[in-house]
Amino acid sequence: MKHEAPNIDWAGLSPVIALLGGAIVVLLAGLLRSRLVRERAVPFLAIVAFGASLGLGIWQWGEDAQVFIAKGSQATLAFDELTLMVTFIVAVAGIATVLLSWRALAPREAAHGEFYALLLTSAAGMVAMAGAQNLVTLFLGLELLSVPLYVLCATEMRRERSLESGLKYLIIGSTGSAVFLYGLALIYGATGGTDLREIATGAAGEAGGDVLLLTGIGLTIVGLGFKASVAPFHQWTPDGYEGAPTPVTAFMAVATKAAAFGAMLRLLDVGLIDAQPDWAPLLAILATITIVVGNVGALGQSSLKRLLAWSSVAQAGYLLAGVVVASSLGVSATVFYLAVYTMMNLAAFAVIVARERETPWGDDIASVAGIGVSRPALAWPLTISMLSLAGLPATAGFIGKFYLIDAAVDGGYTWLGIVIVIGSMISLAYYLRVVAAMWMRAEVAAVSATAQPRLAGADPEAERPQWELYLVAIAAGAATIFFGVIPSPLFDLATAAGRSLGLL
Amino acid sequence: MSATTAAWLVLACPLAGTILLGLFGRALPGRIPGLVGTAAIAGSFVFAILAFADLQSRGEEQRQLVSSLYDYAVTGSIDVQMSILVDPLSILMMLVVSGVSMLIHLYSVAYMGGDRGYVRFFAYLNFFVFSMLLLVAAGNFFLLIVGWAFVGAASYLLISFWYRRTTATAAGIKAFVINVVGDVGLTLGAFFILKESGTLDFLGTFKQAEEISGANLTAGLILLLVGAFAKSAQIPLHTWLPDAMEGPTPVSALIHAATMVTAGVYLIARMHPLFEQSAAAADVGTIIGAVTLFVAATIGLVATDLKRVIAYSTMSQIGYMVMGVSAGAYVAGLFHLMTHAFFKALLFMAAGSLISAMGGEQSLDRMRGFRKAMPFTFLCFCVGGLALAGVPPFSGFFSKDEILLVVGDEGGWHWILYVVGYVTALMTAIYTWRMIFRAFFGDPVPEAVELEHGHIHHVDVPVNPATGEEEDTDVGFPGPEHHIAERALPMKIAMGTLAVLATVGGVVLIPKTTTWLDTFLEPTFADAPHHDPSDGMIWFGLALGAALGVLGIFIAYTIWGKANGEIAVRLRERMPAVHRFLINKWYFDELIELLVVRPAGWFGRFGQQTFERVFVNGTLVGGTSGIVRAGSAAVRALQSGFLRAYAALLLVGLGAVVLYFLLQA
């Protein structure tokens, strides 16, 4: 049998090539002995790689590139607007993460080259996952995303919690992956295809309503729900978030979520669209559980990272509303909210990193007490971030939630819209607690004997937060306000992404 | 200048003021920040007048203008623009809001002079005015919701302005929570209406009002009413308003009397084409308004905290307005909104002056005989009291009677409301003049005597009047100095202006004489049914209102004006059960505690204990103390059991999901 090489659209693939190529360059540069190269040039190269990916993505916008077209089937990887939006989100999150890690402890412990190379590899996996039109590619993307993250979680090797976090994530993550793979296998078994279009044909035909197919859908939803922190598959989230080095947590929180939702949208809304009446009610129930669990879980937290972890669970529930309705509006709303979610979370994590380095309180809420007076340039971004996460008007989080509710109401899930509103109402309690701590409480007095040692370690001499932390915090905070007041540019992008799946 | 440009500038002024004061306020010396804030609002007022003039110069058909700044979000199903609706209703609200706000800002320049948070106060106050103006100018549901939420946030910030006072922060949280409930109602209501009409735009929605009637519309309107009740402190969402008196007195005057709390009335009036289509929703509004106006007045009869008496009176008066606009008396309701803004702001300002003279003390039990010491405050209080009691020719007399006239004219069961309205009018006169007789008549208390000798009473150790806790005068607490109207020119100007307005404000709509307000608002309410009550009913109503007002004052004099209020004591002893019931505010707080707060508390504790103990404390404590060496950390974590629990939960969830599908198949 003559093997025919698949047709590869190199231009279309370029955003991923930039990431993987960057990973190799960074890895090699990390081998150089000069401290200057390792500590300055390597992060810089990583930023260049992310930036190149972002730029190439912009170049490819609207091209709808289909790469890896094997004979007689659909492309396994599509660089349509949905994939590119996820690429943008991942690249922006990547740049921010590199900036946050630049002078952090983690890359120094794990060796700089390896740290950033893992970050870039994971990002490439995320893009691949969001663009996968084939079950095999999808799984490949998932693993390429996950494995580097397991390692990244454990990069602060001399801190127990970091190791614990990495190991827990690995074990639970593997369980999730196994479940996901099993689900994919069942779907393949039921429909006879690994290609999403073949699956769609199969599901519309005789395989529709088949127990095998339905079980497969169930298992894949669990697998993706795990990555997206959907309850009740979220248990790894608080531990994983808290234990991992904070810059890595930031990356995990925003980029993984974008990739998981990108893949979920494509798999469910393209491949399994005809089974929508079967999976939509379930997903709506999961969304409700997630919103309740996330918001209740966040209520009593005193660690900011744990708080954001539970909040990310709740936010995943809101995002699910856009998936449930399986409409072009739903996809747009989900993508829009993912972009917004990235901005507000990056602002929060940048402030947490800054305060971790500056105070002995780690990520405890005490670390931000009173910074309204002493560090207004950090207090404002965190305030904006919290208000936006809670969905207060004039922030991007408000219009994002509005959009999701609109999609839910439009798709006949008014009750889910109500759940979102009530969920955001509950969430005010814990977000406002952080805001109150910043503005209404006095700064917690200096180091006492029993206080934890400085976690930062990075620059022991650094008394004030470094400029790059301010840059990330202020840029992300400003973007949150900007897109809250003038959301139309982002709307246009999200609408294009929504149309790319060919839904109504 | 076109009306729309002017209207945009009305919004721009306080926003600029907020930003300016927020960023650079600290750099400004002395009372300059206060004057900057006042000037910003004065600018708003001037532009509102310009908009008004331009609107009047247009033909009657062209008095509904929509202006869009830019497309906010235009996608498949939502089409939201940054648009304002300029029509007589929004202009009237802009004039009232910016005008009264300007005077209260001026008052605060002096009144808040000794407070450490002077700049912050004016930044918040400007932000509030911006939000309120945005609310009344909004041209679609989206901006309405934005303004609505902003106003709630501003109210929270100002109630807990003295944020180191525990009672103030508690009150702020209470107000915020109830207001968020209202926000949720408003948002969901807007979505219900959007579902039927397909547009968020006001005029677009109203155009198809007749086609969208049905269950969804009624549900949507009742949800909007939840929003209105929360903001306007109507039963059962009213308990935050009396507590909100923890805020500085100018805040009580501006937000919790004159402007924000009337947002609900504005909302119902704005949505009148929809309420016309749904009698059920309108009836809900009418009945709740009537219940509130009665209940609040009865509590006002016994409350002893000066500001709380006025707060209950506010609730009661807004009850009149809500009842009016819900029953179709749109112009009358808005008329009362306007006059009430004048006389209630005046009463609060006078109360603030009086409280200052007492050194921060608010209890009526401790006040007596301030008439000679504070002649100007006394005069202002009397003018406000006469207007509130509805004595002719003061403004409140005309506006209240106008509402009851239309309600009575509806006939049917509305007659009950008519009677309730007049019974409450009598109580209104009684509780208003009870305050005046108790605070200004009788033998002067030491503070009053001190003031007569030319010295404002000063407390050495400031205490929280609500709890008696000792306090600081540092930032986050009330400042050390007190200012009274007799000694501060800005306060005098503000109160004097409002006193004039409270006296003559009724002139815009005198039955059988002037119809200015009616004509002005005609373009907005053109499609609403007209009421044409008989002459006999008009005169009967006017005579009855006047008689009840005078009778109420006489009763108040008999009970509290004579012999230092001995009759009052005897009355209380004669009817202990009634007194206890009223002084406990009809046990609404306890009811809400029982029905809402406690179950929520259980829920929260469940969340904390189950989630925290199992997942947080378990891993945290177990994780750190159990693991000794880094080398074994990984293994330990694996064996801690928690990981197993996680995996087990994952599998249970997995099982549930698969089971769901199997049941489906």
Side-chain angles (χ1 to χ4, degrees), chain B residues 192-262:
Chain B
F192 267 83
I193 293 167
L194 167 71
K195 220 172 148 185
E196 290 298 304
S197 68
T199 175
L200 285 170
D201 191 64
F202 283 162
L203 293 183
T205 308
F206 298 159
K207 231 175 266 157
Q208 19 178 338
E210 283 176 25
E211 289 132 50
I212 60 176
S213 53
N216 260 344
L217 180 69
T218 304
L221 288 177
I222 288 177
L223 283 166
L224 288 188
L225 281 178
V226 171
F229 293 161
K231 195 95 356 190
S232 291
Q234 300 295 293
I235 286 174
L237 298 172
H238 65 284
T239 53
W240 65 272
L241 185 63
D243 289 12
M245 296 301 121
E246 287 287 343
T249 305
V251 171
S252 311
L254 177 59
I255 301 184
H256 306 117
T259 55
M260 181 185 92
V261 285
T262 58

Side-chain angles (χ1 to χ4, degrees), chain A residues 332-357:
Chain A
S332 308
T334 312
V335 171
F336 185 88
Y337 200 77
L338 281 171
V340 168
Y341 178 75
T342 306
M343 297 167 210
M344 44 206 195
N345 260 320
L346 286 178
F349 278 111
V351 177
I352 297 176
V353 171
R355 294 303 286 179
E356 268 184 347
R357 293 188 194 172

Side-chain angles (χ1 to χ4, degrees), chain B residues 559-560 564-575:
Chain B
I559 300 179
W560 291 282
N564 285 336
E566 272 167 29
I567 301 178
V569 179
R570 246 181 289 148
L571 267 179
R572 194 187 316 159
E573 279 162 5
R574 192 80 56 81
M575 296 184 284

Side-chain angles (χ1 to χ4, degrees), chain A residues 168 239 406 414 425 484-485 491, chain B residues 70 72-73 77 180 195 619 646:
Chain A
K168 277 190 175 165
D239 288 353
D406 184 44
T414 309
M425 195 176 99
V485 180
F491 254 124
Chain B
Y70 57 87
Y72 183 73
S77 74
V180 166
K195 220 172 148 185
T619 353
Y646 292 180

Side-chain angles (χ1 to χ4, degrees), chain A residues 160-161 163-164 167-168 171-172 175 179 209 211 214-215 217-219 221-222 226 232-233 235-236 239 242 277-279 281-282 285-286 292-293 296-297 299-301 306 310 329 392-394 398-399 402-403 405-406 409-410 414 417-418 421-422 425 428 432 439-440 483-488 491 495, chain B residues 70-78 80 82 142 145-146 149-150 153 156-157 160 163 169 176 180-181 184 187-188 191-192 194-195 200 603-604 607-608 611-612 615-616 619-620 623-624 627-630 633-635 637-638 640 642-643 646-647 649-651 653-654 656-658 660-662 664-665:
Chain A
E160 297 163 5
R161 304 297 304 275
L163 290 174
E164 189 185 324
L167 191 72
K168 277 190 175 165
I171 290 170
I172 298 277
T175 319
V179 170
V211 177
L214 291 179
T215 315
I217 297 174
L219 295 177
I221 287 179
V222 171
F226 169 81
F233 318 111
Q235 298 93 357
W236 62 275
D239 288 353
E242 195 192 14
D278 291 323
W279 53 256
L282 170 82
I285 296 167
L286 285 183
V292 172
V293 165
V296 172
L299 282 176
Q301 299 300 336
R306 282 192 93 84
W310 286 108
L329 183 67
L392 249 70
F398 173 69
I399 178 72
F402 200 82
Y403 205 5
I405 297 169
D406 184 44
V409 172
D410 185 64
T414 309
I418 298 176
V421 175
I422 294 171
M425 195 176 99
L428 274 171
L432 287 182
W439 296 98
M440 290 188 174
F483 289 115
V485 180
I486 306 174
S488 36
F491 254 124
T495 312
Chain B
Y70 57 87
D71 286 352
Y72 183 73
V74 181
T75 56
S77 74
I78 28 179
V80 183
M82 262 311 181
F142 186 83
I145 294 170
V146 172
F150 273 9
Y156 164 75
L157 288 173
S160 28
Y163 59 84
T169 48
F176 194 76
V180 166
V181 171
V184 170
T187 313
L188 292 177
F191 270 110
F192 267 83
L194 167 71
K195 220 172 148 185
L200 285 170
F603 187 63
Q608 211 162 359
F611 279 76
E612 290 278 302
F615 295 123
V616 184
T619 353
L620 209 113
T624 37
I627 301 162
V628 186
R629 286 188 183 80
V635 188
L638 185 66
S640 72
F642 294 104
L643 199 59
Y646 292 180
L649 240 162
L650 194 144
L651 290 176
L654 175 75
V657 168
V658 171
Y660 170 84
F661 277 115
L662 291 180
Q664 288 266 304

